[in-house]
Amino acid sequence: MAKHMVNLDALIPREDFEAATPELPTQPSGLMNNLGVSELGPDSLMYNVLRKPDFQRETANWAPDKVAALVRSFLEGDLIPAIILWRSPKSGNIFAIDGAHRLSALIAWVHDDYGDSHRSLRFFDGVIPMEQQKAAEATRKLIQSSVGSFNDLKLALQNTDTTPNEKLRLAKNLSAFALVLQWVNGEAEKAESSFFRINQQATPIDSTELDMIKARRKPNALAARAFIRAGTGHKYWSSFSEPVKLEVEAHAKDVYELIFKPTLDLSIRSTDLPVAGRGYSADSLKMVFELVNFVNKLHPEMWQDDANTKKRGSQSTFTALADDSDGTATIEFMRATKRAAMKIAGNSPESLGLHPAVYFYSATGRFQPAAFLAAVAFTQELAEKRRLVKFTDLRVDFEEFLVRNKHFLNQIVQAYGSLQRSVTPVLEMYRILFSSLVDQLDDAAIIERMQAASNPRLPVKPITDDDRKHGRNFSSETKNAIVLKSTLETSPRCNICQARLHLRAMTVDHKVRKEDGGTGDPDNGQMTHPYCNSGYKESGHAHSHPIEV
């Protein structure tokens, strides 16, 4: 069963390797070989100079049981790999080159902050996602039942006569055991090369995350980092001027609200679905980075280093994407991404208000990032080719086909893989469906065209009763599918185009326009998509339809 990951990102601050203090510290005569847990408390000298590199990936990849197991292992004296550190000769701060997650888990225990307490609340500007809270609560309960809190063990040594033997044993271990430390010697360049070499061995950094680390000062990576946390967490944009920082955070919050609200749990429990799935997931950062790049027409060759480009034999003439020193490009990219998000979600006049259950969730109720990115691409194409009015004419038929054949999305993702690998085939499915409806083809002819004329190939086929085999109990996917089916069946419909309405993307329209004498009487009102109530009506094509139940 999937679990929420514990977010420990607030517990060790980030800093640039090259950051300098006004006075250059002297080189130490000797560096410590061991680190006791008491040195990780909030008032400790060591803790207050401890840092992560500014490009360090988010410390949020451990499940509650792994955090609890690390704390238990430390107290039992089990072998824990050495923590590798580097001391900056410029700032005097100490950086975790390897072992940041292990350190953070122990710091979390000492501070009783598993992503939901004092330091985390400050770091995330008081905005803690529900999933993050659940992971923190689960971790705290596991640790309490396994070894007890750090403060419990401290008190145990002061009250030996009333403390159970097991807890007293762990408390005594706490007083004696320490982490083994190793040190990287050299300047910042040596420390950075050591970081990448070490972190590509045991648990390799994901390729997208590695791209973002290397492009950390470029506007696409800065925009994606801001969007994924609604402008909270580590401020990668902190060097920008105050007005720019405020605008970055405002755009980030707006886009997060558009695509990731309401919060989606591990299973679907509500008919009000977010258009971009769970914001607190392993794939969400990759998807948002892809979104920023697609909307702004960026290609990997523009931000990846020359070695990668040459390795692929690219003869590209793309202009290299420069680092953003003042935030101008980051703001530009964020505005473009926000405009794209507003085309598919929200209540702005240009919003098509695409229903998440129709477009972004597969037949098994799982959110599909590729479908989200493909829908953004498709709506961009419709706008650029001035086909939005025609799409609205055909929208109900377009969406009913998608609903009848929701398993097509599963088939494409199964064949091509998730995220960007499936974006092009899903987009191709949308293109063929739209052109086929323009040509007035029926379902059988549309499917035949998809199977025969698609490029890339679309591995879509209707499913039969033999394909629908289920056990006696409802699986989690089956439960999601049931909720999704109910959502699709009970969704209200737009009185102009008859397609389904999403609760977060609808407007109340005058059937008879105010300029034509229409009043605010309830009988003169109807629910519509924002675009149907604005751009489509202005085109002169709009007319109301009675909704068939």
Side-chain angles (χ1 to χ4, degrees):
M1 179 180 176
K3 298 178 181 177
H4 296 307
M5 299 295 107
V6 188
N7 196 316
L8 308 176
D9 207 37
L11 300 177
I12 304 177
R14 284 183 177 80
E15 186 177 280
D16 189 335
F17 274 153
E18 297 283 1
T21 53
E23 294 183 8
L24 189 67
T26 58
Q27 284 292 347
S29 56
L31 296 169
M32 65 180 73
N33 295 319
N34 299 288
L35 179 65
V37 168
S38 61
E39 288 296 312
L40 300 177
D43 298 325
S44 158
L45 294 175
M46 175 65 176
Y47 177 68
N48 283 289
V49 297
L50 196 59
R51 298 288 186 271
K52 289 182 292 197
D54 63 346
F55 50 78
Q56 167 78 47
R57 51 185 162 175
E58 191 174 58
T59 313
N61 295 321
W62 284 17
D65 53 358
K66 189 168 183 178
V67 175
L70 187 280
V71 175
R72 178 85 195 188
S73 294
F74 175 79
L75 290 171
E76 291 290 356
D78 295 340
L79 176 64
I80 294 177
I83 307 297
I84 301 178
L85 304 175
W86 174 73
R87 185 176 188 271
S88 168
K90 288 188 175 181
S91 68
N93 287 328
I94 294 172
F95 288 83
I97 300 299
D98 184 54
H101 243 117
R102 280 166 269 151
L103 271 176
S104 296
L106 290 171
I107 293 168
W109 180 57
V110 173
H111 292 235
D112 191 33
D113 185 349
Y114 302 99
D116 64 342
S117 295
H118 178 66
R119 210 164 268 273
S120 293
L121 283 167
R122 284 200 310 169
F123 185 72
F124 292 109
D125 296 340
V127 181
I128 306 294
M130 177 189 68
E131 303 96 327
Q132 188 169 325
Q133 292 177 21
K134 287 185 175 181
E137 291 164 5
T139 308
R140 192 172 284 109
K141 287 179 181 177
L142 282 173
I143 286 181
Q144 190 62 44
S145 63
S146 174
V147 298
S149 71
F150 177 75
N151 282 332
D152 285 346
L153 296 193
K154 281 178 62 179
L155 290 172
L157 290 175
Q158 299 169 21
N159 301 279
T160 56
D161 55 333
T162 59
T163 301
N165 289 337
E166 172 62 10
K167 186 158 285 188
L168 190 58
R169 180 181 71 86
L170 293 175
K172 289 179 177 179
N173 288 351
L174 174 62
S175 69
F177 294 164
L179 294 165
V180 175
L181 303 181
Q182 293 179 3
W183 295 85
V184 172
N185 295 315
E187 299 296 321
E189 186 177 342
K190 175 68 181 296
E192 184 166 343
S193 65
S194 297
F195 175 88
F196 285 114
R197 185 178 66 255
I198 292 167
N199 284 277
Q200 284 300 93
Q201 293 174 4
T203 306
I205 301 173
D206 173 82
S207 58
T208 303
E209 184 74 17
L210 190 59
D211 274 349
M212 291 185 66
I213 288 172
K214 292 181 176 179
R216 60 188 178 274
R217 295 185 178 90
K218 299 189 186 299
N220 55 340
L222 288 166
R225 296 282 191 192
F227 285 138
I228 201 63
R229 284 287 171 202
T232 69
H234 179 66
K235 314 288 187 183
Y236 293 88
W237 50 92
S238 60
S239 63
F240 299 157
S241 68
E242 194 62 26
V244 172
K245 286 192 289 187
L246 290 173
E247 186 171 354
V248 165
E249 289 162 20
H251 289 316
K253 183 179 179 182
D254 288 346
V255 171
Y256 189 93
E257 291 282 336
L258 276 172
I259 68 176
F260 287 126
K261 289 290 186 175
T263 301
L264 180 67
D265 206 340
L266 293 172
S267 59
I268 297 175
R269 301 181 186 276
S270 168
T271 58
D272 188 9
L273 298 168
V275 301
R278 292 171 54 222
Y280 195 77
S281 73
D283 284 340
S284 55
L285 180 59
K286 301 178 190 177
M287 183 189 72
V288 170
F289 190 50
E290 290 292 330
L291 174 65
V292 172
N293 290 329
F294 166 74
V295 168
N296 291 283
K297 296 180 171 56
L298 303 177
H299 302 271
E301 292 85 349
M302 298 172 71
W303 72 79
Q304 290 178 344
D305 59 42
D306 292 338
N308 285 344
T309 304
K310 290 175 183 175
K311 190 181 294 183
R312 288 192 301 269
S314 171
Q315 299 299 317
S316 167
T317 58
F318 293 121
T319 302
L321 185 63
D323 290 353
D324 189 6
S325 59
D326 61 6
T328 303
T330 300
I331 292 293
E332 180 184 335
F333 286 2
M334 295 186 80
R335 287 173 178 167
T337 306
K338 182 176 175 179
R339 287 194 296 270
M342 289 169 66
K343 281 189 174 68
I344 65 170
N347 287 315
S348 60
E350 67 268 31
S351 171
L352 293 171
L354 301 185
H355 199 296
V358 174
Y359 286 90
F360 312 130
Y361 292 79
S362 67
T364 54
R366 183 184 296 274
F367 172 73
Q368 294 294 349
F372 172 76
L373 293 169
V376 171
F378 183 61
T379 55
Q380 293 276 93
E381 283 189 6
L382 291 174
E384 290 170 2
K385 295 178 179 179
R386 302 183 181 278
R387 301 289 277 168
L388 285 171
V389 169
K390 186 62 179 177
F391 171 75
T392 305
D393 286 335
L394 301 171
R395 177 169 178 169
V396 65
D397 295 326
F398 185 97
E399 295 186 359
E400 291 305 320
F401 179 93
L402 294 181
V403 170
R404 286 193 297 272
N405 299 284
K406 283 203 79 59
H407 54 278
F408 282 5
L409 184 55
N410 297 70
Q411 292 169 352
I412 291 171
V413 172
Q414 185 175 2
Y416 285 93
S418 61
L419 278 170
Q420 64 266 41
R421 293 186 294 274
S422 289
V423 173
T424 302
V426 174
L427 177 58
E428 180 70 4
M429 178 176 72
Y430 292 160
R431 289 167 174 161
I432 292 175
L433 173 56
F434 181 57
S435 64
S436 298
L437 291 173
V438 171
D439 294 342
Q440 300 183 337
L441 300 185
D442 61 16
D443 276 18
I446 293 171
I447 294 170
E448 184 178 351
R449 181 180 284 188
M450 286 181 176
Q451 293 169 333
S454 58
N455 182 25
R457 184 182 66 85
L458 294 182
V460 297
K461 64 175 183 177
I463 59 173
T464 65
D465 289 338
D466 290 338
D467 297 315
R468 298 184 175 94
K469 295 179 181 179
H470 304 285
R472 298 183 65 182
N473 296 319
F474 292 131
S475 67
S476 59
E477 286 192 342
T478 301
K479 291 176 183 176
N480 282 347
I482 291 169
V483 177
L484 198 69
K485 183 174 182 289
S486 175
T487 298
L488 290 167
E489 290 174 349
T490 59
S491 291
R493 291 180 179 263
C494 173
N495 278 67
I496 291 179
C497 75
Q498 298 190 58
R500 289 173 179 80
L501 287 166
H502 185 215
L503 295 173
R504 293 174 178 265
M506 63 173 66
T507 58
V508 177
D509 174 41
H510 286 76
K511 293 178 183 177
V512 178
R513 297 184 305 175
K514 287 185 287 185
E515 52 265 46
D516 295 332
T519 69
D521 187 285
D523 290 337
N524 191 42
Q526 60 183 357
M527 294 189 300
T528 69
H529 296 111
Y531 175 76
C532 291
N533 188 14
S534 56
Y536 188 62
K537 283 182 71 173
E538 290 168 7
S539 72
H541 286 240
H543 52 281
S544 297
H545 299 276
I547 302 301
E548 297 178 4
V549 179

